[in-house]
Amino acid sequence: MLTVITDGIKTVSLLGISIMQIMKRISAVILSVCMPVLLFGSRSRLFNTSVVFDMLCSIQYFDDIKDAPEFKPLASDMNFMRNLEIVNNKAKASRLCNLYAQLHGNRYDVDECLSLLSNINQYADSVAWAAEILDVSSEMTQVLQSLVEAGYPQYWRDSIYPKLMERIDAYPVDDKMIGTIDRTISEFSGDEKLSVAESNIYILNIKNAFNLADESFCCTPLILDPEIEKQLRLSFVNIYVHENLHKLHISDSLMRKLENLLMHDDFYAANESIARKHNEGGNEAFVVAAEVFLSRKLGLRDDKSVCDELSEYVDGSLVLAPIMYVNLERKYPDETLNDFILRLFDEGVIRAGDVERQYNDAMAIIKARLVADGNMSIVSQKPLVCSPFEYSPAPSPNVWQVLGKVILESTREYLSTY
């Protein structure tokens, strides 16, 4: 055992590791476990926050925090500013967050963030855009380390988090509605028994919005306003349903069915090409169909919204979604979504060489549910819960496509993707 006195503080060291360091690490572990509950579990079930994502974004948005006392010395540090510029020239905030999400890092533990991003070689070697980050990994690590040493975690807790929660708390959310959604998704998952643990809609201290490859959605707090939502034709409640449905298992055998369609059905292949240009396609049609089906059942969409979503989402290229939607009433209670879709293939409901006819037939059924003028919908069932977005026009979970094209007067910023 060693005892060291530094600046009047006695530190007992065991095998070269101080008790103070051990306690600091224990506190970090406890915080990483408890942070989700402390920060959003008891206050919002629709939105999340993340100190790690915000810290990664702060590299791009350093100008917004540089005048804070904690970071003024960094702003005048030529080496730090040079490294900051090098990183920003290679990696946007969205890509840094996406990389960290792909590494499955704890989103509330800055120490784990530093550790993982210091060792990204293996992952970056297999992903082209991540390889660009690898080129500046040394500078990125130095920038992040400097931010942590300057006190970013405490700054976030004291200055950023309260502002985010002010916006989140002001947003109209019915917790009973979210609870009903969670139970409905769980029941819909059948034997898979999906449990909705937490939201993956992250409200961050940024001025834009972007999605991550793991289906998390990161968004500025500036659009947490129902009126702005209507202008953008989006609904955070629908996004919540959509992204949670992405957690359902899709088997390799089902994905091979899609590959077979791609090779043997020209109509499907042409539309899949369009979807992939939007970074969509594949199993996205399954999630869209399921979200629209459940949202209609819950009263979160009307028939007009359903029709608009299935015909306009990703330029209407997800042609399997309407076919699935009109058949989802046939899904058995204990059947998983994966098994249900496989059954549609086995029964010939989805069949290579016939997708165009099947799609047109499905859309005819959907359109037939609308009033003749096409402006009003027949609402045949009452919503299970009260929702402020029940009659909003064509809310779309794919908000990152919409946000990139819209300038909000309140921010004068483009909401863009990476």
Side-chain angles (χ1 to χ4, degrees):
M1 179 181 292
L2 301 175
T3 301
V4 181
I5 298 178
T6 306
D7 296 331
I9 300 175
K10 180 181 290 187
T11 300
V12 180
S13 180
L14 187 64
L15 298 179
I17 303 175
S18 71
I19 297 299
M20 187 178 295
Q21 289 174 314
I22 294 172
M23 293 304 295
K24 179 182 178 182
R25 186 57 188 164
I26 291 174
S27 297
V29 171
I30 293 173
L31 187 61
S32 71
V33 173
C34 297
M35 181 78 80
V37 176
L38 292 174
L39 295 192
F40 48 78
S42 61
R43 297 180 64 173
S44 175
R45 297 179 62 185
L46 185 58
F47 302 111
N48 229 329
T49 59
S50 167
V51 61
V52 168
F53 282 163
D54 264 323
M55 183 174 72
L56 293 174
C57 290
S58 72
I59 297 177
Q60 180 176 326
Y61 290 98
F62 183 72
D63 280 350
D64 292 347
I65 65 172
K66 67 181 182 181
D67 292 330
E70 294 91 336
F71 308 118
K72 278 187 176 180
L74 293 181
S76 60
D77 185 326
M78 293 182 60
N79 186 54
F80 173 84
M81 295 303 294
R82 181 172 59 250
N83 288 334
L84 190 77
E85 182 180 7
I86 290 172
V87 176
N88 281 328
N89 285 339
K90 282 282 189 176
K92 293 182 179 180
S94 53
R95 289 195 171 184
L96 294 178
C97 291
N98 205 22
L99 174 61
Y100 190 70
Q102 291 297 302
L103 295 172
H104 306 292
N106 187 316
R107 300 172 186 194
Y108 318 104
D109 187 339
V110 295
D111 290 337
E112 183 171 326
C113 173
L114 289 176
S115 177
L116 282 179
L117 292 183
S118 298
N119 300 279
I120 62 173
N121 300 50
Q122 184 175 357
Y123 178 77
D125 285 344
S126 61
V127 180
W129 60 262
E132 295 180 4
I133 298 176
L134 178 61
D135 291 341
V136 296
S137 61
S138 176
E139 290 84 356
M140 177 184 65
T141 300
Q142 291 180 51
V143 168
L144 291 173
Q145 186 66 52
S146 296
L147 287 170
V148 172
E149 291 175 355
Y152 184 87
Q154 189 64 46
Y155 171 79
W156 184 87
R157 287 191 287 273
D158 294 343
S159 301
I160 295 178
Y161 172 68
K163 293 179 181 178
L164 297 180
M165 288 310 303
E166 183 179 1
R167 288 275 190 163
I168 290 172
D169 288 343
Y171 185 88
V173 178
D174 184 342
D175 281 342
K176 290 182 179 179
M177 175 185 66
I178 301 300
T180 301
I181 291 172
D182 291 349
R183 288 191 298 275
T184 302
I185 292 174
S186 180
E187 292 169 1
F188 180 79
S189 66
D191 284 344
E192 192 171 341
K193 301 186 186 306
L194 179 68
S195 176
V196 180
E198 62 184 53
S199 173
N200 52 358
I201 302 175
Y202 289 88
I203 305 303
L204 305 180
N205 187 40
I206 57 178
K207 297 176 182 176
N208 65 343
F210 50 85
N211 66 304
L212 305 181
D214 72 346
E215 301 302 332
S216 295
F217 178 58
C218 301
C219 177
T220 173
L222 297 174
I223 61 173
L224 292 187
D225 184 318
E227 288 304 314
I228 295 178
E229 278 189 295
K230 291 178 182 178
Q231 294 173 24
L232 297 178
R233 301 177 68 196
L234 64 91
S235 164
F236 282 111
V237 176
N238 291 128
I239 296 169
Y240 178 84
V241 177
H242 181 100
E243 305 305 0
N244 275 297
L245 287 169
H246 264 291
K247 299 174 183 178
L248 293 173
H249 172 69
I250 300 298
S251 65
D252 291 340
S253 59
L254 179 51
M255 295 307 294
R256 286 193 293 270
K257 297 279 189 183
L258 294 184
E259 288 300 319
N260 183 64
L261 279 186
L262 196 61
M263 293 186 291
H264 298 103
D265 191 293
D266 292 341
F267 179 74
Y268 174 79
N271 280 282
E272 182 70 2
S273 177
I274 295 171
R276 292 185 180 185
K277 289 178 182 178
H278 291 282
N279 294 318
E280 294 293 358
N283 69 325
E284 185 70 9
F286 309 155
V287 174
V288 171
E291 182 273 310
V292 171
F293 177 78
L294 292 183
S295 291
R296 183 66 188 90
K297 179 179 179 181
L298 289 165
L300 301 174
R301 290 185 182 275
D302 58 21
D303 289 330
K304 177 66 163 56
S305 171
V306 168
C307 186
D308 288 346
E309 182 73 358
L310 295 175
S311 59
E312 297 176 4
Y313 181 81
V314 197
D315 294 336
S317 60
L318 303 179
V319 294
L320 297 186
I323 302 171
M324 280 185 53
Y325 174 76
V326 298
N327 282 279
L328 269 167
E329 290 287 357
R330 299 173 49 227
K331 178 182 173 295
Y332 304 134
D334 60 348
E335 193 173 30
T336 66
L337 180 64
N338 182 81
D339 290 346
F340 166 73
I341 302 169
L342 284 173
R343 181 158 63 85
L344 293 185
F345 276 97
D346 293 342
E347 294 175 352
V349 176
I350 301 175
R351 182 172 59 251
D354 201 25
V355 173
E356 184 172 11
R357 180 192 64 79
Q358 294 165 331
Y359 167 78
N360 288 332
D361 287 350
M363 286 305 301
I365 293 171
I366 293 166
K367 291 176 181 178
R369 296 172 180 170
L370 303 177
V371 173
D373 63 9
N375 294 321
M376 298 291 290
S377 67
I378 302 171
V379 182
S380 58
Q381 58 192 117
K382 294 181 179 179
L384 297 181
V385 288
C386 207
S387 168
F389 316 110
E390 183 182 346
Y391 301 108
S392 60
S396 170
N398 197 23
V399 294
W400 36 93
Q401 289 187 7
V402 179
L403 296 176
K405 302 175 184 177
V406 178
I407 302 178
L408 293 179
E409 292 184 2
S410 60
T411 66
R412 303 292 182 183
E413 291 278 352
Y414 278 100
L415 299 180
S416 59
T417 187
Y418 62 85

